[in-house]
Amino acid sequence: MLFLRDGEIKARLTTMMNKLAFSHKLILEPLFKSVSQIDEESDRERMDAIDKLME
């Protein structure tokens, strides 16, 4: 198993948060728009169809 030090994890998370903070208009805003436009009913219908096919 791979061993990761606590400091390495904190450094990686800090780097990721900094990148997201500086590029939020490029990454986070489009992601939020696309997630908020998801139609839950059509997704539920697709999942039901997949469940029926699996049965």
Side-chain angles (χ1 to χ4, degrees), residues 8 10 12 17 24-25 28 30-31 37-39 48-49 51-52 55:
E8 292 174 4
K10 289 179 182 177
R12 303 291 177 164
M17 293 303 294
H24 71 278
K25 287 186 179 183
L28 294 179
L31 178 63
Q37 293 175 353
I38 292 175
D39 183 22
D48 289 340
D51 284 341
K52 286 179 184 176
E55 290 175 359

Side-chain angles (χ1 to χ4, degrees), residues 29-43:
E29 288 181 12
L31 178 63
F32 176 74
K33 287 178 185 176
S34 67
V35 168
S36 63
Q37 293 175 353
I38 292 175
D39 183 22
E40 291 181 17
E41 188 62 33
S42 66
D43 288 343

